[in-house]
Amino acid sequence: MPIEKLSDAAREAFLAAHSDWCHDGVRDAFTRRFVFADFSAAFAFMTRVALLAEKMDHHPEWSNVYNRVDIALTTHDAGGLSARDVAMAEAIEALLA
Ligand SMILES: C[C@H](O)[C@H](O)[C@H]1CNC2=NC(N)=NC(=O)C2=N1
């Protein structure tokens, strides 16, 4: 189902409020690298994000190398960023707060 894309203004407002997140203009995604003490902590975080993703029906693109988790949020059904990515990023941030 098509979803409305995020406006440029809303994207810039998100980035201004969340300095750890970047915009990948090629993928039209919000990206952030998370670094943990070790693999166990990184995977525990991924487990929590996975449960969040199922609950929100919005799934990250991500990769993990040992203690590092790289997340990209974009909305496939919109062909780029949507409000769902803002909500997901904020929910991920709340996990760490
Ligand atoms: C059918 C299901 O609701 C959709 O495929 C959802 C699932 N998770 C999703 N995740 C992301 N990142 N983008 C989507 O467009 C998307 N769509």
Side-chain angles (χ1 to χ4, degrees):
M1 201 208 316
I3 295 173
E4 194 179 335
K5 282 202 193 188
L6 199 65
S7 69
D8 291 354
R11 182 191 68 227
E12 293 309 312
F14 171 84
L15 293 168
H18 301 88
S19 57
D20 290 335
W21 290 83
C22 300
H23 179 234
D24 176 340
V26 176
R27 302 160 83 183
D28 195 20
F30 289 138
T31 61
R32 185 181 162 180
R33 170 164 289 180
F34 298 85
V35 179
F36 297 91
D38 52 25
F39 175 76
S40 180
F43 200 80
F45 168 71
M46 293 176 77
T47 302
R48 298 176 75 200
V49 172
L51 294 172
L52 202 56
E54 283 291 271
K55 195 169 80 179
M56 297 177 73
D57 191 30
H58 198 65
H59 300 85
E61 298 179 17
W62 56 7
S63 66
N64 160 242
V65 178
Y66 183 53
N67 65 334
R68 198 170 77 215
V69 181
D70 287 309
I71 290 186
L73 299 176
T74 189
T75 302
H76 312 123
D77 297 339
L81 285 169
S82 77
R84 288 185 173 205
D85 300 301
V86 172
M88 186 72 189
E90 288 177 344
I92 291 170
E93 289 297 316
L95 286 180
L96 300 172

